[in-house]
Amino acid sequence: VNWHTRRERKRARLERASAYVRDRCFDGSDAIAVLEAVIAPGDRVALEGNNQKQADFLSRTFARVNPKRVHDVHLLVSVLSRPEHIDLFERGIASRVDFSYSGPQSLRLAQQVAGGAVRIGAIHTYLELFSRYFVDLTPDVALVAADEADADGNLYTGANTEETPTIVEAAAFRDGIVIAQVNRIVERVRRVDIPGDWVDLIVVADRPYEIEPLFTRDPQSIDDVQVLMAMMVVRGIYERHGVQTLNHGIGFDTAAIELILPTYGESLGLRGKICTHWTLNPHPTLIPAIESGWITSVHSFGGELGMERYVAARPDVFFTGADGSLRSNRAYCQAAGMYATDLFIGSTLQIDRDGNSSTATLGRIAGFGGAPNLGSDPRGRRHATPSWLEMHAGGSGAGRGRKLVVQLVQTFRESGVPTFVERLDAVELGRSAGLPIAPVMIYGDDVTHVVTEEGIAYLYRAQNIDERRSALAAIAGVTPIGMAADRERTQALRTAGVVAFPEDLGIRRSDASRALLAARSMRELVEWSGGLYDPPARFRSW
Amino acid sequence: MIDTLQLRFSGSRRLTQRAHAGVVASGNCEILIEPADASAAQVTVRTSVRGYETIWRAVLSRVFERHPIVATVEINDFGATPAVVALRLEQAIEEAT
């Protein structure tokens, strides 16, 4: 029996590429030839592409290989976000895909699926996809991106380490081939993020890898309604349950919460009592809270453009390397967000009467990235905290707690489009795209709280499904679901503490104003940072 | 095309002064309140978004139930969500009280 087939195969493939390679490095002009030499038909190819960092030189090159030589590839990618990702299907290079999210390409992906050019294995969460890299989806070839490589092949990934270590580990330790595009070659990397003996081939990219400032929200666009909802969250959830460890989803609703901690939160005397430990990208809108002494620690999934110098100057708060810069890690941060934080809060597009929520839209196949993990109760958790225990519904005596999973929405998205719906678009989408399960982002039975401008539904306190529906209807405003709410029932739910309106929380609606935001513009965020935050040009108006 | 709606919500609480809230901007609305001698809030809504009279009536009746004021109210809507309309109205009533 030959127990070394993978190793021998790897050696043979590298041998085929050897004419183009010197000391692990090959020239960008030979990149197509190298990929054609090392990638075989039917291979599983993991391409580093997430919602932030993209191995875009390698993906552009991959999309240009000859489909007669390289075809039927099984593509593994966190986020299908670049046009050439879909070109891989269109050109017949890849015919299967397993992924997590496809925001910008969701329409084209749906078309390619409908046309039969590509078959979707499953739409995963990040952690779930990474996990499968170590079980049944181990990559034959990994295409990743780094800032720097040195003569020994060591890689420096800087603030945007993200998922590079995960992909490389899965490939390197089962005789897959690891190819890295780098922005530059240096004599010695300033920090070893990936050891050189895990890396097979290195190419200097034609331009620095693409990176998106996805988590930057301009405070200018936050309105009074978002401030009102943020006040309710701080009072009715963070203060009430004493939430110290948490994750915030992306968006203006949660940015508003971050920006009222040093003002409204401070006036309630909550500094040090809530929101001390975070799993969060370096959100610029968290700067005022950090500068005001609210934040003990932040571990990050990825970096954020413009935050590099600020993060490097606050090593007590952020995870940083000896070189000073941020060390992010998407897999560890997702695991931390699942098991070590007490609360997840995020927005969504639709919620049904049972509290199921989804951002899926008809005609697009998008997925959800990390939200389904972060927005779920991890049943393997065994450490207790007061806020986790408070979600305990009572009964068994075994005393199991629960994660706080909060959905934060306005009752209407635009003036005529209700957020609360009878049936999620996800159900029809799942059927029309032939998915085995409807793409629900967060299941209703995991949701503990829903917050709208009308109030908070403490769903974890509902005694049964009927009470749960009534609580949701009570805060669904003038949507059809909200209009069906029974007035006396709502009153009883308020008395029982299953529903709270702003006045029940001691909040005057007319106090909700942008004046409570610690920073009202990008310029004020820069001022809070002492000039260390350097917003990308598109966010600068001065 | 601008739709004009006339709505009436009975009330008793008198106001002390005029007030103004909101801004003329897309997704927002502007609200003017004036004290009046009557037994209701007499509301005129001018909106570019047609066909939502039921929603307007529902949104406004909820606010005027909390604040049964006597006043003349003018709302110029530029596609505001119900949440924005309700909050702006609360702010204006607060200022006029």
Side-chain angles (χ1 to χ4, degrees):
Chain A
V1 179
N2 181 356
W3 295 102
H4 303 87
T5 56
R6 295 181 66 88
R7 195 156 296 168
E8 285 164 10
R9 195 183 66 179
K10 172 173 178 173
R11 203 171 297 140
R13 291 179 180 200
L14 288 174
E15 183 57 37
R16 282 209 296 273
S18 61
Y20 306 104
V21 179
R22 263 188 71 181
D23 297 334
R24 252 188 286 235
C25 294
F26 61 93
D27 195 86
S29 59
D30 293 323
I32 293 177
V34 170
L35 292 191
E36 288 178 349
V38 302
I39 303 175
D43 269 4
R44 277 195 293 265
V45 176
L47 173 61
E48 179 161 27
N50 55 59
N51 55 11
Q52 299 179 273
K53 182 169 73 165
Q54 297 283 339
D56 64 311
F57 174 71
L58 290 172
S59 61
R60 282 182 276 123
T61 305
F62 190 19
R64 288 169 59 207
V65 300
N66 184 346
K68 289 207 178 75
R69 297 191 59 172
V70 182
H71 50 84
D72 289 307
V73 162
H74 182 171
L75 186 69
L76 311 171
V77 59
S78 288
V79 182
L80 288 159
S81 58
R82 294 182 50 85
E84 69 267 15
H85 294 163
I86 309 297
D87 295 346
L88 287 166
F89 312 133
E90 218 167 65
R91 294 200 61 225
I93 297 165
S95 58
R96 285 183 68 186
V97 64
D98 278 281
F99 69 106
S100 294
Y101 183 67
S102 74
Q105 300 299 331
S106 52
L107 187 61
R108 268 183 83 205
L109 175 63
Q111 291 164 346
Q112 293 296 319
V113 169
V118 63
R119 206 152 43 84
I120 293 174
I123 309 175
H124 307 72
T125 69
Y126 289 130
L127 208 49
E128 186 181 19
L129 183 64
F130 298 159
S131 299
R132 291 190 68 189
Y133 290 176
F134 296 93
V135 182
D136 61 335
L137 292 181
T138 304
D140 299 300
V141 178
L143 307 174
V144 300
D147 291 46
E148 299 173 351
D150 65 20
D152 296 325
N154 298 311
L155 302 182
Y156 172 65
T157 45
N160 304 102
T161 299
E162 301 180 0
E163 57 202 65
T164 319
T166 311
I167 300 173
V168 172
E169 174 135 358
F173 290 92
R174 207 153 166 260
D175 291 311
I177 294 171
V178 175
I179 307 178
Q181 71 166 66
V182 299
N183 297 347
R184 58 196 167 271
I185 303 272
V186 296
E187 204 170 308
R188 187 143 191 80
V189 291
R190 56 190 108 172
R191 170 177 105 197
V192 177
D193 287 302
I194 308 289
D197 64 352
W198 303 7
V199 181
D200 299 298
L201 298 168
I202 291 167
V203 60
V204 177
D206 54 354
R207 54 177 192 248
Y209 60 72
E210 191 201 342
I211 183 99
E212 276 295 308
L214 202 72
F215 293 84
T216 299
R217 289 293 177 275
D218 186 343
Q220 195 80 55
S221 304
I222 295 171
D223 65 24
D224 292 350
V225 175
Q226 283 160 328
V227 174
L228 173 65
M229 288 163 59
M231 292 165 78
M232 286 195 264
V233 169
V234 169
R235 267 244 99 143
I237 299 177
Y238 293 1
E239 178 184 22
R240 167 154 176 195
H241 305 301
V243 175
Q244 295 189 321
T245 58
L246 73 164
N247 166 258
H248 272 186
I250 186 170
F252 290 103
D253 295 330
T254 42
I257 303 172
E258 291 153 23
L259 287 169
I260 67 165
L261 292 177
T263 55
Y264 183 64
E266 192 71 36
S267 73
L268 297 171
L270 296 174
R271 177 162 32 102
K273 298 192 177 127
I274 62 166
C275 301
T276 48
H277 297 76
W278 298 67
T279 59
L280 194 79
N281 280 312
H283 286 190
T285 41
L286 198 62
I287 293 172
I290 293 171
E291 295 304 300
S292 306
W294 274 69
I295 313 296
T296 308
S297 78
V298 178
H299 185 260
S300 300
F301 308 91
E304 183 66 7
L305 265 185
M307 285 290 280
E308 296 84 357
R309 279 197 307 143
Y310 176 75
V311 168
R314 299 290 180 270
D316 279 352
V317 174
F318 292 95
F319 285 70
T320 51
D323 65 311
S325 74
L326 178 74
R327 163 79 178 193
S328 60
N329 188 307
R330 191 172 313 285
Y332 287 156
C333 199
Q334 288 284 339
M338 263 190 89
Y339 281 100
T341 68
D342 285 347
L343 175 141
F344 163 80
I345 184 167
S347 302
T348 187
L349 291 184
Q350 291 186 325
I351 296 182
D352 72 13
R353 61 194 189 132
D354 292 334
N356 296 305
S357 89
S358 179
T359 52
T361 316
L362 279 178
R364 294 174 179 269
I365 299 178
F368 310 111
N373 279 142
L374 299 165
S376 70
D377 180 42
R379 297 177 63 89
R381 175 172 168 169
R382 288 296 181 273
H383 72 287
T385 55
S387 51
W388 183 78
L389 280 174
E390 219 179 302
M391 296 300 106
H392 177 48
S396 75
R400 180 169 173 265
R402 225 178 129 181
K403 182 169 191 175
L404 287 85
V405 175
V406 186
Q407 293 282 273
L408 182 60
V409 293
Q410 283 193 37
T411 54
F412 284 79
R413 269 188 280 158
E414 296 129 42
S415 51
V417 185
T419 305
F420 291 87
V421 295
E422 280 296 328
R423 185 206 269 278
L424 299 176
D425 283 355
V427 175
E428 177 55 31
L429 173 66
R431 192 176 306 132
S432 64
L435 305 175
I437 47 174
V440 170
M441 180 169 70
I442 296 181
Y443 290 112
D445 55 3
D446 272 332
V447 176
T448 56
H449 303 69
V450 177
V451 182
T452 71
E453 76 277 8
E454 298 281 324
I456 302 178
Y458 294 87
L459 297 183
Y460 75 95
R461 293 176 67 94
Q463 299 295 322
N464 50 50
I465 189 77
D466 184 49
E467 193 166 301
R468 190 183 173 79
R469 287 176 177 174
S470 300
L472 268 180
I475 58 152
V478 299
T479 64
I481 285 183
M483 298 283 266
D486 178 75
R487 192 178 283 256
E488 279 170 27
R489 188 84 200 266
T490 297
Q491 197 49 50
L493 290 171
R494 285 172 71 186
T495 309
V498 184
V499 167
F501 288 171
E503 50 269 37
D504 305 329
L505 302 167
I507 294 169
R508 260 195 350 189
R509 290 177 177 80
S510 53
D511 285 347
S513 146
R514 279 177 46 80
L516 279 177
L517 299 174
R520 276 159 293 216
S521 65
M522 294 301 281
R523 189 200 279 271
E524 286 182 15
L525 287 175
V526 174
E527 282 166 12
W528 269 104
S529 78
L532 291 166
Y533 172 44
D534 184 24
R538 77 180 92 156
F539 291 104
R540 288 172 176 275
S541 55
W542 63 94
Chain B
M1 276 296 288
I2 298 289
D3 238 7
T4 303
L5 311 174
Q6 298 283 352
L7 303 165
R8 191 174 176 283
F9 302 91
S10 59
S12 54
R13 218 178 78 211
R14 302 205 168 265
L15 299 176
T16 53
Q17 57 185 349
R18 307 169 66 156
H20 174 264
V23 286
V24 179
S26 176
N28 220 311
C29 68
E30 182 191 43
I31 297 182
L32 301 142
I33 292 192
E34 268 186 50
D37 281 325
S39 59
Q42 187 65 47
V43 186
T44 307
V45 180
R46 289 185 199 86
T47 175
S48 52
V49 189
R50 300 174 67 94
Y52 290 105
E53 184 167 350
T54 322
I55 289 182
W56 276 103
R57 192 177 292 281
V59 171
L60 298 178
S61 72
R62 287 182 175 210
V63 177
F64 288 115
E65 211 168 286
R66 280 198 294 272
H67 306 280
I69 57 167
V70 173
T72 307
V73 181
E74 270 184 57
I75 302 178
N76 297 311
D77 170 54
F78 309 97
T81 61
V84 170
V85 172
L87 186 57
R88 293 279 174 256
L89 190 52
E90 292 269 355
Q91 289 167 338
I93 293 170
E94 178 73 20
E95 200 189 316
T97 303

